[in-house]
Amino acid sequence: MGVLIVCESSFGNTRHVAEAIGAGLSKKGHHVALFAVENAPREIPEDVTLLLVGSPTHNMAMTTAETRARAVAEGAPTAPAIGVHEWIDVVTPRRTLLVRTFDTRTTGRFLPSAARDAARALKSNGFHGAKTGESFQVDPRTTGLADGELQRAHEWGMALADLDPGAGTDHLPRH
Ligand SMILES: Cc1cc2nc3c(=O)[nH]c(=O)nc-3n(C[C@H](O)[C@H](O)[C@H](O)COP(=O)(O)O)c2cc1C
């Protein structure tokens, strides 16, 4: 399986999670390409059978230029030029591609998050195989990942390796 991971990160946590997920998939023998969102391709290469899209949660959703600027004001090293939302708006959709989203956040798991927002945006832009994946917890006191989250990301990557690429067609609208 060829795996493309597109991730956005201001403070570095979502990037670390993306790397751990990628390591889990690689361990299972998959070829993984990881791109920061500003460098991500707008055409998904033919050999990609799983797309993973990760974003920090800002205001219970994907980031905006305004929230990215706030992250910088709060100490993030730099703001990416574009966020996952802007990338989803320009990437050419692949209708049957298996897609899972993930995010980092400081709040509990029942509140809306970037992963849910991204899955919805991907679906409405033509990626019918998109589903909300996992959220990973950032500790608001340290602004680093909570204990055990990198290990959980690695395990999730290994679990994703067993997904059937054909599962991306499960939710196609029937004609
Ligand atoms: C402007 C801003 C808004 C945020 N809003 C939320 C939020 O609504 N819910 C939440 O759980 N975390 C929120 N956070 C915390 C981020 O989710 C956290 O900084 C992020 O997971 C860190 O990821 P990164 O290191 O990849 O940038 C917010 C952070 C910023 C800077």
Side-chain angles (χ1 to χ4, degrees):
M1 187 153 70
V3 183
L4 175 65
I5 307 180
V6 174
C7 104
E8 174 185 345
S9 190
S10 291
F11 292 95
N13 295 294
T14 317
R15 175 81 191 193
H16 290 141
V17 165
E19 287 166 357
I21 295 168
L25 281 151
S26 297
K27 196 171 176 183
K28 291 272 199 152
H30 296 294
H31 176 75
V32 179
L34 169 59
F35 284 89
V37 64
E38 58 268 44
N39 302 320
R42 292 176 175 204
E43 302 292 332
I44 313 271
E46 276 296 309
D47 62 344
V48 169
T49 51
L50 172 64
L51 169 66
L52 301 175
V53 180
S55 168
T57 298
H58 283 179
N59 294 351
M60 296 195 222
M62 289 182 282
T63 73
T64 63
E66 192 257 317
T67 66
R68 292 193 293 273
R70 267 180 50 208
V72 171
E74 288 174 19
T78 49
I82 63 162
V84 156
H85 200 177
E86 290 90 334
W87 179 76
I88 292 172
D89 282 343
V90 295
V91 64
T92 304
R94 267 180 49 194
R95 201 164 176 261
T96 60
L97 182 65
L98 189 62
V99 187
R100 294 292 180 270
T101 59
F102 62 95
D103 64 39
T104 54
R105 55 156 112 185
T106 52
T107 51
R109 56 195 286 247
F110 296 111
L111 287 172
S113 73
R116 190 166 95 176
D117 192 30
R120 282 190 182 157
L122 284 155
K123 261 199 165 144
S124 65
N125 284 18
F127 286 91
H128 295 293
K131 278 192 189 172
T132 307
E134 286 291 320
S135 285
F136 297 90
Q137 198 70 31
V138 167
D139 184 333
R141 289 163 309 164
T142 64
T143 68
L145 284 162
D147 285 350
E149 290 299 77
L150 279 182
Q151 179 60 29
R152 197 163 68 82
H154 191 263
E155 283 161 12
W156 190 53
M158 290 201 292
L160 288 171
D162 297 330
L163 277 181
D164 171 11
T169 59
D170 284 356
H171 295 275
L172 280 183
R174 299 197 194 288
H175 296 292

